[in-house]
Amino acid sequence: MKSELFYNRIVPENMTVKQLKALIWRYFISYWNRRRICSANDGLPPALKRQRFYADQGAAA
């Protein structure tokens, strides 16, 4: 997270705690829950795996 979010992009020393919390929250919502590759999901990001699951459920009904 440090290398992707902070290093060479922003200076966290100049931010307030509220701004840092918002930045970290957005990082986790956008990256961790949607784009990161997960080995338990057959190498797919969680959002894509969820999308395929619901598509398969609709096709089975």
Side-chain angles (χ1 to χ4, degrees):
M1 182 174 109
K2 287 181 187 178
S3 62
E4 295 169 357
L5 187 62
F6 291 117
Y7 296 146
N8 298 325
R9 293 186 182 194
I10 62 169
V11 181
E13 290 83 13
N14 297 338
M15 300 178 78
T16 66
V17 172
K18 187 175 181 178
Q19 290 171 326
L20 283 172
K21 283 182 179 181
L23 185 68
I24 292 168
W25 177 254
R26 281 193 306 252
Y27 171 80
F28 276 109
I29 292 301
S30 70
Y31 175 73
W32 191 258
N33 288 333
R34 293 196 175 99
R35 293 189 311 253
R36 112 188 120 82
I37 300 299
C38 185
S39 62
N41 290 340
D42 301 323
L44 299 172
L48 183 58
K49 181 70 171 182
R50 193 175 315 115
Q51 180 184 15
R52 288 185 180 178
F53 172 77
Y54 288 122
D56 290 343
Q57 293 297 319

